[in-house]
Each structure stands twice: as structure tokens, then as C-alpha cells.
Amino acid sequence: CISQKQWYHPDLALGQCIDGVGDASIRVPRKRAPDLAAVCGGGNFCPGDKPMYEPEQIKDGMYPLSSGTDIRELPQGNMAMVRKEDNEHSHTAYHFHNMFADLVQLRHKYATYAHGSEAVAKRPLGLIELDLDIAVRCAHNYPNEINPEGRPRYTEGFEKFQGSKPIYFANTTYIQDRHKAFIQMMVEDEKEWGKTYNDTYAAQFKENHIAR
């Protein structure tokens, strides 16, 4: 199941740019808001406003050092792009986090982690979060159009996808086995918590979609 969502995610920073590693004596201190959050973006960038630092404050491009929080939260640096010949598949990586062995553990996560909510975790799976709705549509092979407000997924099949793929998905047997296992998890989950899409509506929608 592949989401078509793409976004900027900083994952690499030079040590010389990090607070506590780089030389603070040759860099202007970073401007901060009263709550100590960094002001605007990295470097001298501040959308819709004048530059944060005067030219004489920046010595040879030595902008303020960044803390770990700054690196995660500020739009800064460059996005490395790898474009295919068709100019369509341009992502450079997959984003994996919060991996769970089954949907029972996943629901426990939404009930207890961070801003946990027992009420949210008792909803049909696809109503908990947008990425989970992608998983539901993928397992049932529903077209994106069944939920116009949802995030689109790649519907041409994993084998036809031309972008970069995690190396362990090169094993087609593994892909098939995991997909079958996920579908079975979905069946058990829907028995207990209900279905995201009504069977009658989904069947009629798929029939009409195919007819078009």
C-alpha cells in the first residue's frame, strides 16, 4: 500500500551546523521567541518578512547553529531529489515509524500514546487517521474516489511502481504473505470495531466506478 503523499523531512545535518558541535564564536546567535522556539526558518529565511540578520552579522555564510529541536521543526536546508526519466517518481526515501505487529497493538497506540484517546481507538480503522484509511482502501482494493477527501494511494499495483522501494520489498513472496496477513487482520478488526465503508455502498461504488 503506497500513499502518494510527499513532504519535506529533514534527516541529515552537518555537524558544524549543530549547537554544541559547531563553533559558536563565528556564528550569530539564533533569534528566539519568548517560549525559546526558534524564530522563522533556517539560515536568514523568514517568509513574508525582512531578513532576520543584517549582512554584517553573517560571516562567510555562517548562520546560527541549530539545536535538535530546530532541525526537526524548522524549514531549512535543501531537499535532495532523484528524478526518473518520466519525471514522475521523484521521492528519495520512505518514511517508516511506529511499526506494529498487528492491529490490536496499533489500536493500543492510538488509545494510549501521546494524546491518546480510548474513543478514537474504538472507531472503525479508517476513521482513526488518514493513513489508516489508505490501508483500509488498499486491503479492500477500493478506488481513491470512494473517499474524495482522503489521501490518494498508488493504485496501479506495487510491481508497476517505478520509484525507490525498501529493499525487503524486493521479495515478492514476502509482499504477498504480508498483504494476505494484513487482510486477515482487517477481517478480525472489522468484526469487533465495524467497517469504514458500508458493504452495500462500497459494492455499488466499485461497480459504478468499473462501469465508467
Side-chain angles (χ1 to χ4, degrees):
C1 305
I2 304 175
S3 168
Q4 290 184 330
K5 176 185 177 184
Q6 296 185 8
W7 75 103
Y8 176 87
H9 191 276
D11 290 299
L12 180 68
L14 296 176
Q16 64 182 8
C17 300
I18 299 175
D19 190 18
V21 179
D23 186 352
S25 68
I26 61 175
R27 296 174 182 268
V28 60
R30 184 179 292 281
K31 292 183 179 180
R32 296 191 177 277
D35 62 357
L36 299 183
V39 178
C40 295
N44 206 26
F45 180 69
C46 191
D49 203 351
K50 65 180 182 180
M52 291 185 289
Y53 308 99
E54 299 300 326
E56 59 269 18
Q57 292 182 286
I58 306 300
K59 305 172 185 177
D60 300 321
M62 296 295 178
Y63 292 98
L65 294 171
S66 297
S67 68
T69 301
D70 297 336
I71 293 171
R72 290 189 292 273
E73 295 186 350
L74 293 178
Q76 55 188 327
N78 298 310
M79 170 63 85
M81 303 297 287
V82 178
R83 296 193 177 277
K84 302 295 183 180
E85 291 182 1
D86 60 8
N87 208 37
E88 178 182 355
H89 307 100
S90 59
H91 66 278
T92 54
Y94 275 75
H95 182 66
F96 286 98
H97 66 95
N98 294 349
M99 304 289 282
F100 294 91
D102 54 48
L103 297 182
V104 174
Q105 292 184 23
L106 185 141
R107 284 184 176 277
H108 178 70
K109 174 254 182 175
Y110 281 99
T112 60
Y113 288 25
H115 303 289
S117 170
E118 286 282 356
V120 168
K122 293 179 180 179
R123 296 174 181 173
L125 192 65
L127 300 182
I128 294 177
E129 202 272 336
L130 290 174
D131 284 334
L132 295 182
D133 176 56
I134 291 177
V136 171
R137 285 184 275 123
C138 178
H140 286 287
N141 196 28
Y142 293 154
N144 288 323
E145 290 80 4
I146 199 170
N147 183 4
E149 297 181 359
R151 288 178 181 156
R153 71 178 181 89
Y154 185 76
T155 58
E156 299 300 316
F158 192 84
E159 294 302 322
K160 291 184 178 181
F161 186 73
Q162 297 299 311
S164 302
K165 304 172 185 177
I167 190 168
Y168 54 86
F169 282 147
N171 186 324
T172 56
T173 301
Y174 174 82
I175 295 174
Q176 294 168 358
D177 289 347
R178 288 302 298 164
H179 192 65
K180 290 177 181 177
F182 178 71
I183 291 175
Q184 184 57 41
M185 292 179 199
M186 183 79 66
V187 169
E188 298 300 322
D189 187 84
E190 290 178 341
K191 286 180 181 178
E192 183 168 1
W193 304 108
K195 296 186 176 183
T196 305
Y197 299 94
N198 176 274
D199 282 341
T200 302
Y201 168 75
Q204 291 176 346
F205 189 94
K206 289 182 71 174
E207 181 178 348
N208 294 334
H209 181 75
I210 293 173
R212 293 200 304 271

